[in-house]
Amino acid sequence: MTDVVHTPRVFSGIQPSGGLTLGNYLGAMKRFVQLQDAGDMPTIFCMVDLHAITVWQEPARLRHATRELCAGFIAAGIDPEKSILFNQSQVPEHAQLAWIFNCVARMGWMGRMTQWKDKAGKNSENASLGLFAYPALMAADIMIYHATHVPVGEDQKQHLELARDIAIKFNNDYDVSFFPVVEPLIEGAATRVMSLRDGSKKMSKSDPSDMSRINLTDDADAIARKIRKAKTDPAPLPDSVEGLADRPEARNLVNIYAALADTTAEAVIADHAGQQFGTFKPSLADLAVAKLDPISREMARLMQDVDQIDRILGRGAERAREIAAPILAQTYDIVGMVRAQGA
Ligand code: AQP
């Protein structure tokens, strides 16, 4: 029995499958920065490019999106000295551990993942094997650092439960307590930011409609236009949060406001009760521009020196491998792989 004391460590990733959205920022990245700045736990953040290719990515676009995502992390407040910041494909231990986890996870578990069902749709015969196995790679991303805390948006809850199941099954199968059972951190006013065109759909980088999302690269005019055109209902804002229950688009805009202003939906309603959207939307647009425009400008500045971004990613990958390599070696020992003498 190999007993390991798991020191608290934060890991999370974002796919370079398009530009960063307001959903990624409010649901994930803003929280990453808070955790980094709190300084209670080491923080590791990854551009999960191996995940991105589970659906087709044009190579030049993927390379650009990975660098731009790195610029987004830094512009939002991730300090590559304080946190480890890198892209997944430069740390081969992720894919190596994922293979072990592919052999631990059960087909039935994977088939129940709603993201698989949504993304594969009716044409699952034609979906990639990687898309089906995605949650095992995600479990490996976390476990290769023995991470204990994983900040994510609401949509990743089911995948994290699966990561816990994989860790528990591995530990049981090999009679060890080697992999930690992770804690999801799903917190804040905007753990599920919805599309600006349809309050029942998550805001997503891969939504065909650009008007459905705010991109972190959007300029002030684009942000204001998208908020002005966001779908709403004709009623004014209610005087309590309960009054938003059956109004998904109105609720979404209130939650976005609350998250951007670092307050609660209750406080937003208290300040804006009875307002028509013709009044509320311009206030929201001003707030969004004030918060997002500096990030967008800083991203553009950082993207002027991609060599520097590549150096940051390379250095981050070296630091990540210092943690990942020994954990993979121990995993191989537990599983029964033969190693070269002295390796
Ligand atoms: N709309 C959202 N609201 C709150 N959080 C969100 N996240 C994504 N969309 C929202 C959180 O952002 C982190 C990174 O997500 P990801 O890029 O790895 O994958 P995703 O969840 O599949 O995001 P997208 O934008 O929908 O990407 P595509 O379109 O490529 O599938 C995660 O913590 C996620 O919860």
Side-chain angles (χ1 to χ4, degrees), residues 15 17 23-24 119 153 155-156 191 193 202-206:
Q15 297 185 76
S17 46
N24 299 132
K119 285 199 170 172
D155 61 316
Q156 293 299 329
T191 55
V193 177
K202 186 185 81 146
M203 183 181 286
S204 194
K205 342 178 173 72
S206 52

Side-chain angles (χ1 to χ4, degrees), residues 35-322:
L35 286 163
Q36 168 195 268
D37 291 349
D40 303 330
M41 298 181 260
T43 42
I44 307 175
F45 300 115
C46 181
M47 278 122 267
V48 287
D49 46 9
L50 297 175
H51 281 280
I53 59 162
T54 56
V55 297
W56 169 249
Q57 303 293 335
E58 201 276 307
R61 198 162 168 261
L62 176 64
R63 207 168 289 121
H64 175 82
T66 305
R67 289 172 173 147
E68 194 178 71
L69 179 51
C70 181
F73 269 103
I74 297 170
I78 294 299
D79 176 345
E81 295 300 321
K82 287 191 197 159
S83 294
I84 298 181
L85 187 63
F86 67 103
N87 60 311
Q88 190 184 24
S89 57
Q90 290 203 57
V91 180
E93 287 80 4
H94 286 245
Q96 289 172 285
L97 183 61
W99 181 257
I100 306 268
F101 285 174
N102 280 344
C103 301
V104 172
R106 305 290 95 182
M107 295 282 285
W109 299 358
M110 302 301 211
R112 282 193 283 279
M113 294 296 108
T114 49
Q115 183 169 300
W116 156 252
K117 290 185 204 162
D118 289 349
K119 285 199 170 172
K122 291 195 175 70
N123 198 12
S124 62
E125 288 290 306
N126 208 29
S128 74
L129 187 54
L131 187 65
F132 189 67
Y134 182 113
L137 177 58
M138 179 166 157
D141 298 337
I142 299 163
M143 303 294 164
I144 200 66
Y145 303 104
H146 275 181
T148 50
H149 293 74
V150 184
V152 284
E154 182 71 39
D155 61 316
Q156 293 299 329
K157 190 164 181 251
Q158 198 187 25
H159 285 164
L160 277 183
E161 280 160 7
L162 193 119
R164 289 164 67 97
D165 289 343
I166 291 176
I168 292 168
K169 184 166 176 355
F170 180 97
N171 288 345
N172 282 340
D173 287 353
Y174 293 100
D175 193 21
V176 291
S177 53
F178 185 63
F179 286 117
V181 179
V182 289
E183 288 298 328
L185 298 175
I186 302 173
E187 298 159 337
T191 55
R192 192 169 173 81
V193 177
M194 308 310 280
S195 157
L196 297 179
R197 307 302 305 157
D198 177 352
S200 68
K201 267 173 64 184
K202 186 185 81 146
M203 183 181 286
S204 194
K205 342 178 173 72
S206 52
D207 192 310
S209 163
D210 191 57
M211 291 301 283
S212 70
R213 64 179 160 262
I214 292 173
N215 306 299
L216 254 53
T217 48
D218 284 345
D219 61 19
D221 284 350
I223 294 172
R225 189 175 64 252
K226 287 175 179 182
I227 291 177
R228 208 171 49 243
K229 296 215 171 217
K231 187 178 165 201
T232 41
D233 56 48
L237 282 173
D239 54 14
S240 74
V241 175
E242 290 70 45
L244 294 169
D246 298 320
R247 300 174 61 188
E249 283 87 12
R251 191 171 63 231
N252 189 36
L253 295 187
V254 168
N255 285 342
I256 291 174
Y257 194 112
L260 285 170
D262 288 311
T263 183
T264 58
E266 286 76 7
V268 176
I269 287 294
D271 284 350
H272 299 270
Q275 269 183 8
Q276 296 291 341
F277 281 102
T279 309
F280 182 70
K281 281 177 169 179
S283 306
L284 176 58
D286 287 348
L287 175 65
V289 168
K291 297 282 178 176
L292 303 180
D293 198 45
I295 299 178
S296 147
R297 284 172 191 275
E298 180 61 2
M299 280 173 76
R301 191 189 69 76
L302 291 165
M303 282 301 280
Q304 283 169 7
D305 188 355
V306 290
D307 290 346
Q308 174 62 5
I309 289 183
D310 291 358
R311 277 192 292 278
I312 289 170
L313 291 174
R315 174 73 193 119
E318 278 171 24
R319 292 171 65 200
R321 289 197 79 184
E322 284 165 18

Side-chain angles (χ1 to χ4, degrees), residues 16-27:
S17 46
L20 273 168
T21 70
L22 182 67
N24 299 132
Y25 176 65
L26 294 178

